[in-house]
Amino acid sequence: MTNAEKGAERGTRARVARLILEHGPVDAAALGERLGLTPAAVRRHLDALVAEGMIEPRTARPRGQRGRGRPAKLFIITDAGRSAFEHAYDGLAGSALRFLAEHMGEDAVARFARSQVSGLVRRLEPQMREVPAEQRVRVLAEALTADGYAASASTAKSGGEQLCQHHCPVAHVAAEFPQLCEAETEAFGQLLGTPVQRLATIAHGDGVCTTHVSPRVLAAQRPPRHGDADPDDGNSRNAIEKNKETGR
């Protein structure tokens, strides 16, 4: 294989890893369709990424009656795979927050976390006032993607909408300091103007950060509060396990 061919091979493999990061869990057929690759080519790249520890396979949970044959295999990004995309400053950030907590208390960490997401709120609030309410989750997902979170928006089967972040640049730090996730959730509620509920986070070991956005009718019935969750949304709670698995 020539150097040019090796470079092309590495580039395609990186695209496969990026798609799994952004859309995982995902199967080989979906990857091949998105990239225009043959099943054999997809399998070659997947096998290499698994061997490198960048991704790992999971067996899809059967839904309803399935025919004979092996269960579908889905692929997700690993912690090592995420680390390959960034996390260069995790150690420094974690040390700084530990110093802050030790010398100024946990409340100082929470205030710092809110200050970090305040820029997102200031940047998006004018735009959110201009777009229809039903487009706000999509606009937020696009802004988060631009910030490196590989976000997507979709309709939730349990009602309302769902915001998924397939990547988190601060996941390792947020695992130790959940105030970062809490402040982010508050910001989402403020920007969307409706109750939101965090169902899963990469920081806690889930494959995708998943936030349920309550239907607009609930916001009309009750004024939204920063980071407000909807404790009565039983359907959302019943969907937690499904959302953790699919990120959809």
Side-chain angles (χ1 to χ4, degrees), residues 154-162 212-216 233 235-236 239:
S154 62
T155 300
K157 292 182 179 180
S158 57
E161 296 175 86
Q162 198 156 266
H212 181 265
V213 181
S214 296
R216 303 295 162 188
D233 191 353
N235 289 332
S236 295

Side-chain angles (χ1 to χ4, degrees), residues 10-233:
R10 287 193 297 269
T12 302
R13 193 159 299 162
R15 291 170 62 201
V16 173
R18 169 64 70 174
L19 280 174
I20 295 172
L21 170 70
E22 295 180 353
H23 301 285
V26 62
D27 61 24
L31 290 168
E33 183 177 347
R34 286 177 178 271
L35 294 171
L37 298 175
T38 64
V42 172
R43 178 59 56 190
R44 184 176 71 252
H45 290 300
L46 290 173
D47 288 345
L49 289 169
V50 169
E52 293 169 4
M54 296 282 288
I55 64 173
E56 65 182 19
R58 287 186 179 178
T59 301
R61 179 177 297 178
R63 294 182 182 177
Q65 186 67 33
R66 296 180 61 91
R68 293 182 178 179
R70 293 180 297 178
K73 185 178 290 185
L74 303 177
F75 294 88
I76 63 169
I77 203 78
T78 63
D79 285 342
R82 285 196 181 91
S83 296
F85 286 97
E86 78 284 308
H87 293 314
Y89 299 102
D90 274 1
L92 179 62
S95 296
L97 287 176
R98 282 188 289 273
F99 180 90
L100 192 64
E102 180 180 351
H103 293 276
M104 301 185 65
E106 296 293 333
D107 186 58
V109 177
R111 293 199 305 272
F112 170 82
R114 287 193 292 271
S115 74
Q116 288 296 104
V117 297
S118 64
L120 176 71
V121 174
R122 286 195 303 270
R123 190 169 82 243
L124 289 185
E125 271 186 332
Q127 187 176 0
M128 290 297 189
R129 288 194 291 266
E130 298 295 327
V131 301
E134 62 271 16
Q135 296 182 19
R136 289 176 183 168
V137 179
R138 177 186 58 80
V139 170
L140 177 56
E142 291 173 353
L144 290 169
T145 295
D147 288 345
Y149 287 84
S152 63
S154 62
T155 300
K157 292 182 179 180
S158 57
E161 296 175 86
Q162 198 156 266
L163 176 68
C164 291
Q165 295 156 266
H166 299 269
H167 181 54
C168 178
V170 297
H172 291 174
V173 180
E176 184 176 354
F177 297 99
Q179 296 95 326
L180 296 175
C181 295
E182 293 164 4
E184 185 180 72
T185 306
E186 289 177 5
F188 291 170
Q190 181 177 350
L191 285 167
L192 299 174
T194 190
V196 300
Q197 181 183 15
R198 185 58 64 90
L199 301 181
T201 64
I202 294 172
H204 289 162
D206 301 303
V208 179
C209 291
T210 306
T211 304
H212 181 265
V213 181
S214 296
R216 303 295 162 188
V217 64
L218 293 181
Q221 293 171 354
R222 183 181 63 180
R225 298 188 297 268
H226 289 189
D228 197 7
D230 180 19
D232 298 322
D233 191 353

